[in-house]
Amino acid sequence: MLSGFFIINVKGDVLISRLYRNDIKYVRLKRSVSDIFRIQVVSSTDVRSPITTVGSTAFFHHKHENIYLVAVSKLNVNSAIIFEFLYKTADLGRAYFGKFDENAVKANFTLIYELLDEICDFGFPQITEPEALKLYITTESVKSEKAILESGKQIAIQATGAVSWRRPDIKYRKNEAFLDVVESVNLLMSSKGNTLRADVSGQILMRTYLSGMPECKFGLNDRVAVEGGEHLGRIVPPTLSSNAGKKSGKSTVDLDDAQFHQCVKLSNFEESRTITFIPPDGEFELMRYRSTNNVYLPFRVNAIVDEFADDSSVSYKISVRSLYDAKVFGQNVIIKVPTPPNTNDTKIKVTGGKAKYVGSENAVVWK
């Protein structure tokens, strides 16, 4: 799978290097990685792809804070697995160090090498759950013989068991669970106000403080069905042709590209259409989805732009109208109107809120 893993700073210097295979010589690889990133990624102003191919070697990189997480391979590997491994590594660094940046890497390079030996074996990703790794990979300040003896059985159960993301002996005086649904609407409109493209990207984020090994269940408002048999790449609610749809007459929502956390029991979802899972302790992303059909926009923006060549000026007339119910209030609504980079003077009039020109963003910010 992976030939090597590197952590590189924004200057192109190699901070951490770990080779898993001998298909590329160590000296040649170590010297070339920094040079490739300094030329192809760090010094380039037009990086269009997180994958850089040089000859038969592929470099997968993910920028996190002020460092690059780089995976190198000479095989025909699955790119999705590589990037998932890079994202998990970044999450693991945040779980151990709070902020995973260049300073944290330099201060904890010994611990990072120990983690790299555990999360990847001969280039194949292994355990990447922070809760499982923290049982037997800790810093010297918190490591104790008593803790190692007491957690010996737990390490074996969690590392080899079916629930690697949660310890079985978690206890809280008060059981609490919080769920947030975060959605972002992406819209592209024509100059005449017609919607060319609209989609919604959503996340279901949870924070749990539950004792033991609880099994949680929850479902969506509509009964959902899986399109494509065993594949869970697309979730489709009942259509209007069903009996319930004919009686109620309500429209349905299609959820595309649904992705679940590994704690979700997919077999139960196929049978009962409910999301059943044993949650990790703390904060995690339970589900991610995207919807492209029947997107209801919260606002409608009408813009009229006039350019005057005589005095080199541009006139914007923008109106915003809410499309949701009058009982619902929109909070922290910010509208950014892009302006030309050479703007030196602005005259702004608004009927509601406040607006000002922000030169650092080359935009008029309307709140």
Side-chain angles (χ1 to χ4, degrees):
M1 179 71 72
L2 294 183
S3 299
F5 177 84
F6 298 85
I7 298 180
I8 302 175
N9 62 9
V10 292
K11 297 180 180 179
D13 300 328
V14 178
L15 303 178
I16 298 292
S17 62
R18 181 70 174 89
L19 288 186
Y20 296 107
R21 293 174 179 267
N22 296 325
D23 50 358
I24 301 180
K25 291 184 179 180
Y26 175 78
V27 176
R28 180 183 176 184
L29 180 62
K30 185 178 180 181
R31 290 178 179 175
S32 62
V33 164
S34 59
D35 295 337
I36 290 174
F37 263 78
R38 189 178 296 109
I39 298 173
Q40 302 291 338
V41 179
V42 179
S43 301
S44 177
T45 59
D46 187 19
V47 181
R48 299 185 178 182
S49 174
I51 304 176
T52 303
T53 304
V54 178
S56 60
T57 306
F59 299 85
F60 305 82
H61 74 270
H62 165 58
K63 187 175 182 181
H64 179 77
E65 298 289 348
N66 58 350
I67 58 176
Y68 290 93
L69 305 179
V70 185
V72 184
S73 179
K74 292 194 67 175
L75 303 176
N76 185 16
V77 296
N78 189 333
S79 301
I81 296 179
I82 301 298
F83 284 111
E84 182 68 17
F85 175 75
L86 296 179
Y87 297 148
K88 287 288 187 180
T89 304
D91 294 340
L92 189 62
R94 287 197 299 265
Y96 267 87
F97 314 122
K99 187 176 182 181
F100 192 36
D101 55 4
E102 183 177 355
N103 293 331
V105 173
K106 292 181 178 179
N108 302 276
F109 68 93
T110 305
L111 179 58
I112 293 176
Y113 275 113
E114 189 175 357
L115 288 171
L116 291 178
D117 291 335
E118 292 293 337
I119 65 177
C120 193
D121 184 17
F122 196 62
F124 293 93
Q126 303 294 320
I127 302 173
T128 57
E129 291 297 328
E131 295 299 327
L133 293 170
K134 284 183 178 180
L135 288 176
Y136 53 95
I137 299 181
T138 61
T139 57
E140 293 295 332
S141 58
V142 297
K143 186 181 293 184
S144 63
E145 295 182 0
K146 183 178 180 181
I148 295 176
L149 293 175
E150 291 179 352
S151 61
K153 295 182 180 180
Q154 299 173 7
I155 293 173
I157 293 174
Q158 190 165 353
T160 60
V163 185
S164 62
W165 56 86
R166 184 182 180 88
R167 301 196 314 269
D169 61 339
I170 299 176
K171 294 181 180 180
Y172 289 101
R173 292 185 178 180
K174 184 179 180 181
N175 291 327
E176 295 178 319
F178 304 92
L179 186 145
D180 294 324
V181 179
V182 181
E183 292 186 339
S184 60
V185 181
N186 304 309
L187 174 65
L188 178 63
M189 298 181 64
S190 65
S191 58
K192 297 181 180 180
N194 299 324
T195 301
L196 301 179
R197 186 181 65 201
D199 64 88
V200 177
S201 300
Q203 292 176 297
I204 298 180
L205 305 176
M206 290 198 67
R207 182 182 294 127
T208 59
Y209 304 101
L210 304 174
S211 302
M213 301 289 286
E215 185 176 81
C216 303
K217 295 182 181 181
F218 85 94
L220 304 177
N221 291 335
D222 295 331
R223 183 181 175 88
V224 295
V226 180
E227 182 179 294
E230 299 179 354
H231 300 285
L232 292 174
R234 180 177 175 85
I235 304 176
V236 183
T239 59
L240 290 175
S241 59
S242 62
N243 295 331
K246 291 180 180 179
K247 294 180 181 179
S248 61
K250 296 181 179 180
S251 60
T252 58
V253 178
D254 294 344
L255 299 182
D256 306 318
D257 303 330
Q259 299 177 3
F260 297 97
H261 190 273
Q262 61 175 333
C263 66
V264 177
K265 298 181 179 179
L266 299 181
S267 59
N268 292 354
F269 179 79
E270 294 179 353
E271 296 175 359
S272 60
R273 305 297 183 248
T274 59
I275 300 177
T276 306
F277 59 98
I278 299 176
D281 186 47
E283 186 175 353
F284 68 100
E285 181 186 83
L286 178 66
M287 179 182 176
R288 180 182 300 177
Y289 59 89
R290 186 172 63 91
S291 177
T292 57
N293 297 325
N294 298 328
V295 177
Y296 296 95
L297 305 177
F299 300 97
R300 183 173 184 84
V301 180
N302 296 321
I304 300 176
V305 182
D306 296 324
E307 297 184 8
F308 303 96
D310 298 337
D311 54 355
S312 300
S313 63
V314 181
S315 174
Y316 297 90
K317 295 181 180 179
I318 300 174
S319 63
V320 182
R321 184 168 62 92
S322 62
L323 302 180
Y324 45 78
D325 191 84
K327 298 180 181 179
V328 180
F329 296 91
Q331 297 180 349
N332 301 326
V333 178
I334 300 176
I335 299 175
K336 292 185 178 181
V337 183
T339 60
N342 57 348
T343 301
N344 56 14
D345 187 24
T346 59
K347 294 181 181 179
I348 303 173
K349 294 182 181 180
V350 294
T351 58
K354 297 181 180 180
K356 66 177 181 179
Y357 172 70
V358 181
S360 60
E361 300 181 9
N362 290 324
V364 175
V365 180
W366 184 11
K367 298 182 180 179

